[in-house]
Amino acid sequence: MKTNFVEELRWRNMLHDMTPGAEEILTSEMVTGYIGFDPTADSLGVGNLVQIMTLLHFQRAGHKPIALVGGATGMVGDPSGKSAERNLLDETTLRHNQNCQQAQLEKFLDFNCGENSASIVNNYDWFKEMSFLEFIRDVGKHITVNYMKAKDSVKKRLERGDGDDASEGMSFTEFTYQLVQGYDFYYLWKNKNVKLQMGGSDQWGNITTGTELIKRKDSGKAWALTTPLIKKSDGTKFGKTESGNIWLDPKRTSPYQFYQFWLNAFDDDAKNYIRIFTLKTKEEIEALEAEHALDPGQRKLQKALAADITARVHSPEAVDMAIEAAGILFGKGTIETLRKLSVEDMESVFEGVPSKVILRAELEAGIPLLELLADKTGFQESRGDARKLVQQNGFSLNKEKTTDIGLVVNTTHLLNDKFILLGQGKQKNFLVKID
RNA sequence: GGGGAGAUAGCCAAGUGGCCAACGGCAACAGACUGUAAAUCUGUCCUCUUACGAGUUCGAAGGUUCGAAUCCUUCUCUCCCCA
């Protein structure tokens, strides 16, 4: 059963803007549309998940999604939303990143379902053969500098701040970015019958440069559709935590941490996220919200959200593990429950918890607490940090608080003769394994 | 090439010879409270040190001085305007 793409985005609050006529064409025919991904890392992050979901909704509505991996554009650097010039990546790194991202995208979209199967393209493929002269003759000729300068992404960088703060300036390379991206759209329009480019609202300027190029160069018609940028209710950037980005790759962000990320969403944000990141129906979501409102402390909404996304990005088994680990680490998880766990259970439950192996002989000799926290495990940055943590009553050993800086840790502190669980504050845990 | 402005701790930003490990704000970390929240309050926030204290910092390198983030010299980098 096909859904109505635009309607679907609308009620999920995923629609920011469209060029005129976009909705008409989307409801009247099967459209091929694409979204570009920047290969700046070898994994996509939760920030990219919005665009992945957009493509997924697009496909579920019967349209044909294309994910464009920006091998070429990644070499240039998009100035949108950036206050400073970007560092460029070398070609080998970009190649590697593209391959990894491609593998992740393949998990979400259906690449084998007939005429609206998803596909992946890489703009490096059509840019690598193109010469600079060719580009400025055939592409640059059609767009004026005045037009390009009027884009927000450019304007913000060129504008002088009102008097005091001077602007950062911008290289020719970044200035050209929108044209390069615009040519992608043109190329796909010309060769792959692509009529729509989607993206975050910060991409609006780049996308419309594409539609403009199509119009001026070939008198063609193409459309743009953008999704709102996700903001957290406290105004900070979505998709990051104090320890960095949240990635889809389990090697970078373990399923446990991934689950925790969603579980810790603010109430207001959770309402927003559950619409965007899950495929739950409107009825299901409203029911969950009603249930959540009865007892916010239970965090039903966050739990449903975390379970749904973790299951899709990782696996249902990963969700079970994450819940179990959370129960032990945050529930009534006292030292007794910890002791009851078998070695195998400990291993699997704490799989996503950061850990470090140290030698039994070292522990038998006894390790001063601060040394264990800093030098031996790296759980704390320095002994100074470790000391402060312990003194401030923020440290726990096997779930029991201690403020004894002089404590010497030895084999008597082992759980199951193999583990020691270190805790910082309420949320951070670290597992020491003995070998 | 000419003229101007600037570089201070994660970020913003005060400080223009001793009272400066450097005001203030943000971010971050911990505690209380709580829902593994938010808001609020408290503490911490260069490194080492139980503490007293010690050691390295203010773009880089030299210099003046009893004493420099602050003065001088050279260098590096950034931004703006003009050509």
Side-chain angles (χ1 to χ4, degrees):
Chain A
M1 200 208 65
K2 286 174 188 173
T3 51
N4 178 325
F5 180 57
V6 176
E7 273 310 315
E8 188 79 11
L9 292 190
R10 225 175 236 141
W11 79 257
R12 290 181 187 271
N13 294 323
M14 289 173 75
L15 185 62
H16 186 263
D17 209 351
M18 294 182 286
T19 50
E23 185 161 10
E24 285 73 12
I25 189 147
L26 282 164
T27 45
S28 61
E29 59 179 272
M30 184 187 107
V31 174
T32 306
Y34 84 104
I35 295 181
F37 293 87
D38 221 7
T40 42
D42 67 3
S43 170
L44 295 166
V46 290
N48 301 110
L49 213 44
V50 188
Q51 301 315 329
I52 297 173
M53 293 307 292
T54 306
L55 282 181
L56 185 51
H57 286 303
F58 190 66
Q59 185 168 44
R60 281 160 60 98
H63 300 298
K64 183 176 171 59
I66 294 180
L68 178 145
V69 178
T73 31
M75 299 183 88
V76 178
D78 183 1
S80 301
K82 307 284 190 314
S83 54
E85 181 88 10
R86 291 215 331 206
N87 296 323
L88 303 185
L89 299 172
D90 63 77
E91 204 177 321
T92 343
T93 312
L94 284 170
R95 266 292 164 203
H96 170 73
N97 292 350
Q98 288 156 30
N99 294 337
C100 295
Q101 290 193 0
Q102 186 158 336
Q104 292 181 327
L105 285 166
E106 283 167 359
K107 282 178 69 176
F108 293 89
L109 299 168
D110 193 340
F111 286 78
N112 189 17
C113 59
E115 58 170 5
N116 72 331
S117 293
S119 64
I120 289 181
V121 296
N122 185 339
N123 60 8
Y124 188 71
D125 292 337
W126 56 83
F127 270 114
K128 68 181 173 204
E129 300 300 336
M130 189 179 237
S131 75
F132 179 68
L133 282 175
E134 209 178 320
F135 183 75
I136 58 176
R137 273 182 61 112
D138 295 348
V139 183
K141 191 76 183 154
H142 299 278
I143 300 287
T144 64
V145 169
N146 310 44
Y147 178 82
M148 291 170 70
K149 267 175 68 184
K151 302 287 180 183
D152 274 353
S153 60
V154 174
K155 220 166 35 177
K156 278 191 189 123
R157 287 278 292 276
L158 295 181
E159 244 168 30
R160 290 193 70 166
D162 269 344
D164 41 15
D165 55 338
S167 83
E168 279 276 332
M170 173 180 219
S171 67
F172 175 73
T173 304
E174 282 196 357
F175 179 64
T176 314
Y177 181 88
Q178 57 171 296
L179 258 193
V180 177
Q181 184 172 327
Y183 180 73
D184 283 341
F185 199 176
Y186 173 81
Y187 179 91
L188 291 171
W189 174 83
K190 187 91 173 169
N191 299 292
K192 304 246 179 187
N193 192 32
V194 168
K195 290 181 182 163
L196 177 74
Q197 185 183 170
M198 294 163 283
S201 58
D202 60 334
Q203 291 299 308
W204 181 258
N206 292 334
I207 298 175
T208 51
T209 298
T211 58
E212 190 67 15
L213 184 65
I214 290 165
K215 187 170 107 191
R216 296 206 189 167
K217 194 164 153 61
D218 280 22
S219 303
K221 195 88 184 93
W223 291 269
L225 182 150
T226 53
T227 57
L229 289 187
I230 302 190
K231 274 231 206 89
K232 291 204 290 179
S233 51
D234 64 359
T236 57
K237 199 169 181 231
F238 168 76
K240 292 207 169 193
T241 63
E242 53 284 0
S243 43
N245 254 322
I246 301 296
W247 303 96
L248 303 192
D249 184 342
K251 286 193 205 75
R252 282 174 170 256
T253 301
S254 73
Y256 164 76
Q257 288 163 329
F258 189 83
Y259 179 89
Q260 284 288 322
F261 169 76
W262 298 102
L263 188 70
N264 281 312
F266 303 141
D267 292 10
D268 288 349
D269 291 334
K271 290 178 189 167
N272 200 7
Y273 297 166
I274 202 158
R275 287 174 168 75
I276 296 172
F277 297 108
T278 75
L279 293 173
K280 290 185 191 300
T281 65
K282 201 171 179 174
E283 290 70 30
E284 288 171 320
I285 290 172
E286 280 165 1
L288 270 169
E289 282 176 347
E291 212 181 324
H292 181 266
L294 290 176
D295 186 0
Q298 285 294 309
R299 285 187 294 176
K300 288 257 168 62
L301 205 50
Q302 281 92 335
K303 284 177 182 166
L305 174 71
D308 189 281
I309 306 176
T310 309
R312 220 139 19 79
V313 171
H314 298 294
S315 66
E317 294 74 39
V319 176
D320 294 340
M321 280 307 170
I323 293 174
E324 203 182 334
I328 291 163
L329 293 174
F330 299 109
K332 305 235 159 42
T334 58
I335 192 155
E336 283 75 33
T337 43
L338 279 173
R339 286 197 196 283
K340 270 186 263 172
L341 287 176
S342 70
V343 172
E344 292 70 37
D345 283 348
M346 293 277 285
E347 290 274 14
S348 58
V349 162
F350 293 139
E351 204 193 334
V353 177
S355 65
K356 176 93 180 179
V357 177
I358 63 176
L359 297 175
R360 178 173 293 274
E362 283 189 273
L363 192 68
E364 278 168 352
I367 305 173
L369 183 57
L370 299 186
E371 200 177 310
L372 177 72
L373 296 184
D375 311 47
K376 296 292 181 206
T377 61
F379 177 50
Q380 295 296 309
E381 289 278 326
S382 65
R383 292 192 196 185
D385 282 346
R387 176 178 305 108
K388 277 169 206 155
L389 179 71
V390 176
Q391 281 174 336
Q392 287 182 128
N393 193 28
F395 172 73
S396 60
L397 181 69
N398 295 330
K399 301 301 291 180
E400 284 178 336
K401 284 278 171 88
T402 177
T403 51
D404 180 7
I405 317 188
L407 184 70
V408 175
V409 181
N410 56 39
T411 47
T412 60
H413 298 98
L414 283 174
L415 298 170
N416 255 324
D417 202 33
K418 192 163 166 53
F419 303 101
I420 294 173
L421 186 65
L422 309 176
Q424 171 183 355
K426 283 177 195 162
Q427 296 197 354
K428 287 184 198 151
N429 294 286
F430 191 99
L431 194 64
V432 180
K433 300 181 191 173
I434 304 305
D435 192 15

